[in-house]
Amino acid sequence: MKVSFQLNGKDIEVEAPGNRALLDLLRDDLGVKSVKKGCENGECGACTVLLDGAPVTSCLVLAPQVEGRAVTTIDGLVDDPFMVKLRQAFLEDGAIQCGFCTPGVLISSYALLKGNPKPTADEVKKAIEGNLCRCTGYVAIIKAILHASERI
Amino acid sequence: MEYDKILEDLLGRKEFLIVGKSIIRTDALDKALGRAKYTSDYIQPGTVVVKEVYSTHPHALIKRLDTSAALEIPGVLAVYTGADVPGENQIGYAMPDQPFLCDEKVHFIGDPIAIVCAEDEYAAQEARDAVVVEYDPLPANFTIDETLAKDAIHIHEGGNIALTSRIRKGDVEKGFSEAKVEVEGTYETPYQDHAYIEPDVAYAFPEGAGKVTVIGAMQSPFLVREKVAGVLGWNLNQVRVIQALTGGAFGGKDDTGPLVSAKAAMAAVKLGRPAALVYDRFEVTAYTPKRFPSRIHLRTGVDKDGMLTATKVDIKLDCGAYANRAPYWLWRQTVHATGPYEVPNVHVDGTAVYTNKVFGGSYRGFGNLAVHFAVDSHMDRLANELGMDPVELRLRNVLTVGKRTASNQLLDHSVGIEECIRGVAEASDWAEIRKPRRKGNKVRGVGIGTAHHGISTSRGAPDWSAASVILNEDGSFTYRTSICELGQGTPIGHAKIVAEIVGAKMEAFHIEIPDTDTMANARPTHGSRGLALGGTAAADAALKLREQMVNTAATLFECEKDRIDLRNSMASCKDDPSKKMAFKELAHEMYVRGANPAAYGFFTPPRRFFDPETGLGVSYPAYTFAATVCEVEVDLETGQVEILKIWPAMDVGKAIDPLLIDGQIHGAISHGIGIALMESIRLDAGEVINPNLTDYVIPSSMDTPEVAESILVEKPYRHSAFGAKGVGEPAIISIVPAISNAIYHATGVSFNTIPITAERLHAALRRGGQ
Ligand code: FES
Ligand code: FES
């Protein structure tokens, strides 16, 4: 079937079977490799993207569900001022190790700051609860998100 | 050469420009933009999908193997079994006990029997299910006791004991007779899954008839090359292995890298097409090697002054189906069996046994997590019996320069454990927070854990590393090692060492990913050796290149070599400020004047004597030390534990990059909290029953405690660049005992089994403590 949606601000139309996960559609059919596959079961958050501005795990979203909606990956936020601040804080605070969780974590953090630019530490922890990171122990990630929020 | 003195002796200055300062990781921007390339990002459309057929029996003979139905499925290209392996059908790491594809017998649920190759995921999945395997089931041994029973069925020829180890130091019976207090206990630690977020993956493509390239997630490209070549029956130079950026490994991908790579490579070579094997989360969790479970029985004596008199240890290591890393794991446990304390009389027996379960493998901290859990639990129990403060008891017995380890190794330098213990005690205000604090059902407790962890290979086994650095015509540098970037950033540490020595700016560096076709074997990224050995090979290369640079500059400036200064990518003459030159020009001059602009580094630490019979001698070239204080709050109603704060300290030799070290400490705290409180792979009749991240729970952001600033003690190791020692592994070891001792302090319950789940603690509290 044909699916039309907005990907990072651009209108696109792709052919996809009804049971195709958005994650696979993005990675394999559209070549968006920044979206990572860690579990395909909604458990790790590595595949997090924005669907109409809200973070979702793209492995659990089926292609037809994005019909007529807006999908945003970090590729679409490169110059966004919130993302620029987040990215800088992640770099400075050492919040990135292997980097496999990073795109997903940044998307969740971005969604948090968009809705709540001055979150508490507990709100930060809650916002990224669904993004597992096995490298950093979250300490630097939480710190970086709070730093970015201070600079907004 | 004493590499810790490079700076003063060779560079002729005392201050560091790059080493010791935190920098923004050179790879962080790509990762933050989602542009960093991991193995699966390289896989092209049209690649053959490879999947494995796994044993469904824990122990059985293979009676019949029929692939014909699978081959009929449209889109299926081939099904390969052990009979199709062109080289050796054997892939054991330390012992030849592990078939690459099982053809006669299976040893655990998840043992690979065949690989299917298909045009797409669906066909491959269907083919995997259509392969018919008929088994003759055999009795299976699932526990240490079952497998050691007299009449137990043999899992491998030669019996169920994979190997043994021992230490005989002094006279333990005499030691115990001098003791005022003795404690005894049996400590059990479970399987822990690495739960790296990137699943295992390998992508292979043939290059002509006699060459194959493998791109994969791994920790040792040269080990992968050796195993792939073995399975193919090829020479090493027919296999090219590239380690793509790897999404976490923690030891696990040292084991899985060769296994998945060899399967992808065999498919690619046989079919003459690119082929990829990509694991899903189920396969990662159920079938890949885990932290070896172990059972450690410990008896410890202490005299009236609080001096340890004797330790008797019995280690039972559960290998699972194959020995894999067991020899290294068991020996590591054996020679670290007293913890970072001096004990005059030591008796250790270690036994590694086979069972019919998923096999154990490398995991951050190696055997030392289990050993230090046992030893540090004992220290607190002994302190309790003596009425002595646990920190005080530790300080009386702690290893210092001039003292001897369990294996009687004399420590002559680089011993900072005392400073670590004092550091965390002071930072946490130990005496104050040890005072009892209870509010309603909530009670707080504080505990300390300690660690020592040998660097490099054990028992004087040979170890070395290699590195390559090129000064390009424009003054930029290209650095290459086969020490892998797994998230820990070790190659960045190498580049900093090189930059410091050649006087370059960090921005001038590009770090190439490991590629076995471009350099000699730099050996694996394991055993806490990546920085200490790999970084010293990098220093060796840098020193050679520096010499060429200095020679050229001295000729150009007409000044003495020892008057040349290299810094910030500029060469200058110390005596005449007008004589200076950017590296871009210097590089050009070197190329045209025939001064070699490339250098190759190679390093092997000095080897010394070890006697495996008595277990005495030099076990490791050097040790990293650590101590942790942890504060917990226990809910006496529910048994729920909340970790409030952690104070970490580590003797790192020399901190090459404090921010990278913090990252390792914080990550290790999280893994430590995981295995201390929640993580455990559970099995039922050999089958993993929690093979996903919903049932195998790892810490999330919600489980993150407050972490105090890391205390970095610097006691340089003489034979490594700037004195640096490995940090990633040692960082986890002291976390578990710090947590369990804090729970002991809060509740009076000293646990000898982890994880200390709320159910376990609740049950123990209901039983009324001990
Ligand atoms: S891949 Fe989607 S949550 Fe893990
Ligand atoms: S940085 Fe490796 S999983 Fe988060």
Side-chain angles (χ1 to χ4, degrees):
Chain A
M1 62 189 296
K2 281 210 185 324
V3 186
S4 318
F5 64 105
Q6 232 187 37
L7 176 60
N8 294 326
K10 270 208 220 105
D11 291 323
I12 58 161
E13 189 177 85
V14 279
E15 191 64 42
N19 64 353
R20 193 146 180 82
L22 175 59
L23 169 59
D24 294 324
L25 187 78
L26 290 169
R27 279 188 63 83
D28 299 343
D29 302 341
L30 298 166
V32 183
K33 302 287 192 189
S34 66
V35 188
K36 299 300 178 200
K37 185 187 277 193
C39 71
E40 295 175 86
N41 202 23
E43 297 164 338
C44 75
C47 65
T48 306
V49 300
L50 297 176
L51 187 57
D52 290 339
V56 294
T57 47
S58 62
C59 64
L60 293 186
V61 175
L62 294 178
Q65 293 175 283
V66 303
E67 177 68 39
R69 304 175 74 179
V71 174
T72 311
T73 69
I74 59 168
D75 312 270
L77 298 170
V78 173
D79 300 319
D80 183 287
F82 277 67
M83 187 53 89
V84 170
K85 294 226 161 45
L86 270 168
R87 194 164 60 223
Q88 192 55 29
F90 269 56
L91 260 54
E92 289 169 8
D93 289 329
I96 301 170
Q97 288 192 30
C98 82
F100 204 77
C101 69
T102 306
V105 174
L106 280 170
I107 289 281
S108 295
S109 320
Y110 175 86
L112 167 73
L113 293 190
K114 272 287 193 186
N116 177 8
K118 301 290 171 203
T120 63
D122 281 340
E123 287 169 333
V124 168
K125 287 186 185 181
K126 192 82 203 140
I128 56 165
E129 189 185 3
N131 294 90
L132 295 179
C133 173
R134 195 59 157 166
C135 298
T136 64
Y138 310 99
V139 178
I141 293 179
I142 295 164
K143 185 170 160 192
I145 297 170
L146 291 170
H147 274 167
S149 131
E150 281 167 19
R151 297 170 186 171
I152 283 169
Chain B
M1 160 155 47
E2 298 199 348
Y3 277 91
D4 62 326
K5 300 263 176 57
I6 292 171
L7 212 73
E8 281 176 54
D9 297 358
L10 280 114
L11 305 189
R13 55 176 128 94
K14 283 199 182 295
E15 88 281 26
F16 299 95
L17 302 176
I18 293 169
V19 161
K21 307 212 157 74
S22 295
I23 61 162
I24 289 179
R25 294 175 63 125
T26 48
D27 58 359
L29 183 61
D30 278 348
K31 288 174 173 176
L33 291 169
R35 292 179 193 166
K37 272 181 104 169
Y38 303 83
T39 303
S40 58
D41 303 333
Y42 287 89
I43 300 172
Q44 297 297 314
T47 296
V48 174
V49 175
V50 181
K51 285 196 186 297
E52 295 175 51
V53 176
Y54 297 106
S55 162
T56 53
H57 281 260
H59 198 197
L61 299 172
I62 298 174
K63 211 162 61 175
R64 193 170 73 93
L65 188 51
D66 184 354
T67 61
S68 53
L71 286 166
E72 309 250 298
I73 294 166
V76 172
L77 300 163
V79 180
Y80 299 122
T81 66
D84 301 306
V85 176
E88 244 197 312
N89 189 21
Q90 172 55 240
I91 201 149
Y93 176 73
M95 297 180 179
D97 60 3
Q98 185 176 350
F100 173 56
L101 294 172
C102 298
D103 45 4
E104 289 169 8
K105 197 176 167 211
V106 293
H107 302 96
F108 75 103
I109 295 176
D111 230 354
I113 295 170
I115 54 176
V116 300
C117 307
E119 292 290 359
D120 61 49
E121 228 14 71
Y122 301 102
Q125 186 60 48
E126 223 183 301
R128 162 198 266 182
D129 297 339
V131 171
V132 177
V133 190
E134 274 180 36
Y135 300 93
D136 250 342
L138 298 167
N141 306 324
F142 297 124
T143 66
I144 292 168
D145 293 329
E146 277 170 21
T147 212
L148 285 176
K150 264 205 188 68
D151 53 350
I153 186 164
H154 282 189
I155 296 173
H156 291 284
E157 272 174 38
N160 294 337
I161 293 179
L163 79 145
T164 59
S165 64
R166 66 200 317 237
I167 288 180
R168 298 289 182 265
K169 175 181 158 187
D171 178 346
V172 276
E173 288 318 318
K174 187 173 146 276
F176 283 119
S177 72
E178 289 160 8
K180 178 184 172 218
V181 174
E182 262 185 45
V183 292
E184 202 164 344
T186 304
Y187 294 84
E188 289 186 69
T189 49
Y191 280 114
Q192 183 180 21
D193 186 59
H194 310 80
Y196 29 73
I197 307 300
E198 179 203 32
D200 299 287
V201 53
Y203 174 45
F205 43 93
E207 314 225 40
K211 182 111 190 181
V212 66
T213 295
V214 182
I215 301 177
M218 61 187 74
Q219 296 181 219
S220 175
F222 286 96
L223 173 66
V224 170
R225 182 174 75 164
E226 178 194 320
K227 295 297 178 190
V228 171
V231 163
L232 294 176
W234 281 5
N235 294 331
L236 294 177
N237 64 4
Q238 292 179 276
V239 179
R240 178 184 187 191
V241 178
I242 295 168
Q243 182 246 347
L245 284 178
T246 295
F250 317 111
K253 286 174 180 167
D254 206 14
D255 289 320
T256 55
L259 303 178
V260 291
S261 296
K263 285 162 194 146
M266 176 168 148
V269 166
K270 288 204 154 243
L271 294 167
R273 284 179 56 179
L277 175 55
V278 187
Y279 274 10
D280 61 22
R281 185 54 58 183
F282 169 83
E283 288 169 299
V284 171
T285 318
Y287 298 155
T288 65
K290 318 265 160 262
R291 182 186 294 284
F292 284 98
S294 61
R295 186 170 80 192
I296 298 177
H297 183 85
L298 193 63
R299 182 178 159 210
T300 316
V302 63
D303 70 15
K304 61 176 188 347
D305 301 321
M307 300 307 291
L308 295 167
T309 60
T311 295
K312 193 166 179 190
V313 189
D314 179 77
I315 303 167
K316 292 284 189 305
L317 183 66
D318 185 350
C319 299
Y322 301 111
N324 192 24
R325 310 269 164 166
Y328 302 93
W329 191 282
L330 184 64
W331 268 107
R332 202 174 260 278
Q333 294 192 313
T334 302
V335 299
H336 287 87
T338 56
Y341 305 104
E342 190 177 58
V343 185
N345 305 293
V346 181
H347 179 115
V348 187
D349 279 312
T351 312
V353 303
Y354 292 116
T355 55
N356 293 112
K357 296 179 301 201
V358 59
F359 53 107
S362 303
Y363 195 137
R364 184 181 222 170
F366 230 61
N368 272 331
L369 185 147
V371 162
H372 288 76
F373 168 50
V375 170
D376 260 329
S377 296
H378 265 205
M379 292 305 273
D380 271 34
R381 285 174 57 194
L382 287 167
N384 209 9
E385 300 260 337
L386 288 167
M388 190 183 275
D389 181 86
V391 167
E392 177 57 31
L393 177 64
R394 283 172 173 81
L395 288 173
R396 288 195 187 182
N397 293 282
V398 75
L399 290 172
T400 53
V401 168
K403 291 199 175 174
R404 289 178 180 272
T405 66
S407 75
N408 214 34
Q409 176 174 351
L410 177 70
L411 298 174
D412 59 356
H413 78 292
S414 195
V415 187
I417 179 66
E418 184 178 346
E419 288 82 349
C420 290
I421 294 173
R422 289 189 190 281
V424 289
E426 191 181 319
S428 64
D429 201 357
W430 176 261
E432 190 54 37
I433 57 173
R434 278 286 286 192
K435 291 180 183 152
R437 283 164 300 156
R438 181 172 176 165
K439 243 197 222 146
N441 286 328
K442 304 268 177 94
V443 52
R444 291 193 176 189
V446 192
I448 184 165
T450 57
H452 74 318
H453 189 76
I455 284 168
S456 165
T457 40
S458 55
R459 295 164 285 152
D463 197 8
W464 67 86
S465 199
S468 132
V469 56
I470 298 168
L471 170 57
N472 299 304
E473 302 92 296
D474 61 355
S476 66
F477 292 81
T478 303
Y479 176 71
R480 185 166 249 150
T481 170
S482 76
I483 299 302
C484 299
E485 157 53 19
L486 310 163
Q488 85 290 37
T490 307
I492 300 167
H494 292 190
K496 290 182 73 173
I497 287 167
V498 176
E500 186 75 49
I501 293 172
V502 301
K505 293 181 181 161
M506 259 323 268
E507 303 85 83
F509 275 80
H510 187 80
I511 303 170
E512 288 296 325
I513 56 177
D515 177 343
T516 57
D517 265 10
T518 63
M519 63 181 299
N521 189 349
R523 304 205 75 232
T525 315
H526 73 202
S528 297
R529 59 183 299 289
L531 184 61
L533 272 81
T536 311
D540 184 51
L543 289 166
K544 288 173 183 157
L545 178 58
R546 179 187 164 84
E547 198 182 334
Q548 296 289 338
M549 295 165 75
V550 166
N551 287 349
T552 306
T555 309
L556 289 167
F557 297 157
E558 294 175 337
C559 88
E560 293 298 322
K561 286 180 206 166
D562 62 1
R563 303 310 297 155
I564 296 293
D565 191 39
L566 304 178
R567 66 170 75 199
N568 294 325
S569 287
M570 291 283 295
S572 63
C573 173
K574 289 176 191 166
D575 304 323
D576 181 352
S578 72
K579 288 179 176 166
K580 59 180 179 198
M581 177 180 268
F583 276 8
K584 185 175 159 81
E585 285 168 76
L586 180 65
H588 175 78
E589 291 295 338
M590 286 170 69
Y591 276 85
V592 298
R593 287 163 188 266
N596 188 352
Y600 209 77
F602 200 83
F603 171 70
T604 183
R607 284 169 65 186
R608 280 172 282 173
F609 180 72
F610 187 88
D611 175 6
E613 272 309 305
T614 55
L616 301 183
V618 176
S619 301
Y620 292 92
Y623 297 82
T624 296
F625 298 91
T628 301
V629 164
C630 170
E631 184 183 22
V632 299
E633 185 170 87
V634 180
D635 185 325
L636 297 172
E637 278 292 289
T638 62
Q640 204 70 44
V641 175
E642 191 188 345
I643 310 240
L644 299 176
K645 189 164 176 179
I646 299 252
W647 290 264
M650 202 183 312
D651 167 18
V652 301
K654 169 72 199 167
I656 302 296
D657 190 297
L659 190 61
L660 284 180
I661 295 174
D662 272 346
Q664 289 306 293
I665 290 175
H666 297 162
I669 287 172
S670 185
H671 283 233
I673 291 174
I675 191 169
L677 298 182
M678 59 187 94
E679 292 180 37
S680 170
I681 287 285
R682 295 197 307 276
L683 292 104
D684 179 24
E687 185 171 6
V688 173
I689 55 170
N690 53 345
N692 53 62
L693 294 169
T694 302
D695 299 314
Y696 183 82
V697 180
I698 65 171
S700 78
S701 53
M702 301 303 281
D703 302 300
T704 310
E706 184 184 347
V707 180
E709 202 178 317
S710 312
I711 297 169
L712 301 184
V713 174
E714 295 186 320
K715 300 276 180 185
Y717 166 46
R718 222 169 262 157
H719 301 288
S720 80
F722 299 103
K725 303 191 279 194
V727 298
E729 291 203 79
I732 193 175
I733 297 164
S734 58
I735 308 298
V736 173
I739 294 171
S740 67
N741 282 334
I743 294 171
Y744 178 37
H745 179 232
T747 63
V749 185
S750 178
F751 274 85
N752 50 14
T753 304
I754 49 172
I756 306 168
T757 58
E759 297 80 63
R760 273 190 181 146
L761 183 49
H762 182 67
L765 290 169
R766 277 226 317 239
R767 283 198 305 271
Q770 319 290 344

